[in-house]
Amino acid sequence: MTTHGQPAVAHNGETQSAAPAESGPKTVAAAAPTPTVTDPAEGMTAVPRTDFPDRNGSVPIDRHQSAPAVDTPAMDAPDQPSQAAAGPLAGRPRRPPAEVEALAVPGHIGDLALALRKLRTELLSCTYPLVLPSTEQARRTSAALVDQLDDYLLPRLARLDAPLLVVVGGSTGAGKSTLVNSLVRAPVSPAGVLRPTTRAPVLVSHPADAAWFRHGRLLPGLSRTAKPGDDPHTLRLVEAPALTPGLALVDAPDVDSVVATNRKLAAQLLSAADLWLFVTSAARYADAVPWELLRTAAYRGTAVALVLDRVPPAAADEVVPHLTDLLGVHGFRGVPLFVLPEAALDGQGLLAEEVVAPIAAWLAGLAGDETVRAAVIRQTVDGALATIEPIVAGLAEAAEEQAAATRVLTDRAGAAYRAARARVDRGLRDGTLLRGEVLARWRELVGTGELIRVLKARSGRALDRVVATLSRRRAPGEALRAALESAVAALVQAAAADGAEQAYAGWQAHPSGAALARPDLAHPSGDLARRVERLVRDWRQGLSALVDAAAGSGAAASGTEYANTATSLLVMVGMSTSAAAADELDLTVADGRTVAAQHVLDLVFGDESIRALVQKAREDLLARVDQLLDAEAGRFLRLLPTYGFGVASADRLREAGEQVERARRAAALTTGTDPVELALPPRARMSEEEG
């Protein structure tokens, strides 16, 4: 390695005291080690990932991590849960289906594009609304995969011959913008000491290639502009005649920026790259983010090169071998490494042409040879496609978990209200209602013997006389009816309250239910009393119709309104207890006679008719109670998702992922060719040998 003395000005504009040094590029090889997740907001600590599969394996959603397999490590969790499914840029416009359909190409590549569009549809239709350990990661993975389809895979498959897109990414202050400016020999991207410097991405291309990027198929969520600015939703397009035709450079925001939007945008851009040119510095090369990016690229099969920038001459002999060793230890053989010394900037803020010449020559060699350029593009596209099936398998698993959680919550709410219904049924059979006020009014009504005389009468005139007598004393019968109706209403309301309490408790014990259940669900709905009152009134009217119909069939008491009203009261009493419970109830009156409702009704209809009428009355009441409790349970069930998830969605997701893999194999993007060796150009190799 040869060093040359130059003025002490660093690439990012900071004054340095060390003299610059020049170093040729280094080459190390790469395998595909297990990627790790890095959260820049948490001290850049790398957390081992276990959910990255082999290319033919399946990818389970990691229950303990928040970052999806398809995201780059710098993509952190959304600020708000509601933004989780919005993709790397919250609020970014989603490409219309019609525009996606327009990206059609013939042959096997066309079949592959069709499979990707089908997958895109399934990804958008499969939501993850319930709070589970896998939810946030599934949402982010799905959104990131859709973004990659829109931003890169679909437009790239439509034009495999389009210019090679190289995204220049890296750490804060590494000198990315200065490098891009120096490569195109013009200050096209702002550089300086303020952080972050690059907020809106800048895409630089040869004028002959500008139309393809101006069209907007690539990165459709970013609006095009020719003016400088800080809007992260825009992509500034710059034409640079000095750049090699067939090559485009994107200056991306910092992957470890303190601004979350910048980190997300950097991740989005890296997912749309044909080649990553990652820039780090002598002071930052051991940080977690560079290594995470390399692992992610290796997993995807993305072409990568590394630039070690701003290397002080005194540290070069120590830093460069150490970085080379680290690359070897991590299994990254074949990754080109360019070492740039600290160097002075000219009046335009550019590095000397000879400093960046090895990188410029290497990029020109890749882009200038159509065969090599196509091989790099196909390798990256195929690598990205190969990760889809295992990622989608993990999303399908998360969808199944959503369906399972929905079933659990449905069952818990259903069980609570089934228990409430059983309480009502039990209360109608065990004699609970025939106590207190109801029992007092019962004794008051039957103790006089007038009711029995009415029911025993055989002639209409006798009944009329009794009716006339009782018409002056209507209170006991009405009081009994009111007491019975009040008791039934209280029983139903208490059961509904128990159902709400139990359902709420069951949901609170489940993570998804706890997130959905509002505190008011622990109590019945506010208008329950009014609805129960209407239920009892409607049931009593239906009971009167049943008695009238039975009396009209030829029973002895037919033909008198009072007799039918009295019969309705006694049917209410009879259905409020079972025969066994009635014998145990204290239904005696003042003169010692025992009057049970079942026995009195025998005088009118006979045993079989009594049982049928009482059974119909009970069934009618329980049917109305069922409707009421179903409505109460609906307050819970309406909170559960009814579409876009479940076993059917999981099956469709898996099939879509498998179809993409079959189409990928049929398209044979890289079959018959050796893996692309990103070889260093002769000039770079000579520089290294001379050093």
Side-chain angles (χ1 to χ4, degrees), residues 131-149:
V131 174
L132 293 169
S134 62
T135 295
E136 285 302 315
Q137 186 170 330
R139 289 174 180 172
R140 295 174 58 223
T141 300
S142 179
L145 185 52
V146 171
D147 287 343
Q148 190 177 38
L149 292 174

Side-chain angles (χ1 to χ4, degrees), residues 156-307:
R156 175 51 84 188
L157 284 175
R159 284 293 305 274
L160 286 170
D161 60 337
L164 181 72
L165 184 64
V166 179
V167 172
V168 182
S171 307
T172 300
K176 301 181 298 300
S177 298
T178 298
L179 177 60
V180 170
N181 294 339
S182 301
L183 289 171
V184 302
R185 310 313 303 163
V188 296
S189 187
V193 297
L194 297 180
R195 298 289 175 260
T197 301
T198 303
R199 294 176 175 86
V202 179
L203 187 151
V204 189
S205 65
H206 189 274
D209 299 325
W212 193 83
F213 298 105
R214 196 162 49 239
H215 186 274
R217 284 184 171 179
L218 185 76
L219 296 166
L222 301 177
S223 61
R224 272 48 174 172
T225 182
K227 300 178 180 179
D230 293 335
D231 185 356
H233 294 85
T234 63
L235 178 64
R236 183 186 171 206
L237 301 181
V238 178
E239 297 180 11
L243 198 62
T244 302
L247 174 67
L249 302 178
V250 176
D251 184 13
D254 302 331
V255 296
D256 57 354
S257 172
V258 296
V259 180
T261 301
N262 289 351
R263 297 196 301 272
K264 296 171 185 178
L265 179 56
Q268 179 188 354
L269 294 171
L270 288 172
S271 294
D274 295 314
L275 185 149
W276 294 4
L277 187 61
F278 186 78
V279 183
T280 188
S281 67
R284 303 292 302 274
Y285 71 90
D287 290 350
V289 170
W291 297 105
E292 181 55 35
L293 285 169
L294 287 174
R295 292 185 179 94
T296 302
Y299 170 68
R300 291 178 176 174
T302 305
V304 176
L306 188 65
V307 177

Side-chain angles (χ1 to χ4, degrees), residues 478-502:
E478 291 182 358
L480 175 59
R481 176 181 62 78
L484 277 168
E485 291 179 0
S486 178
V488 171
L491 175 63
V492 174
Q493 289 189 59
D498 281 351
E501 183 179 351
Q502 293 302 316

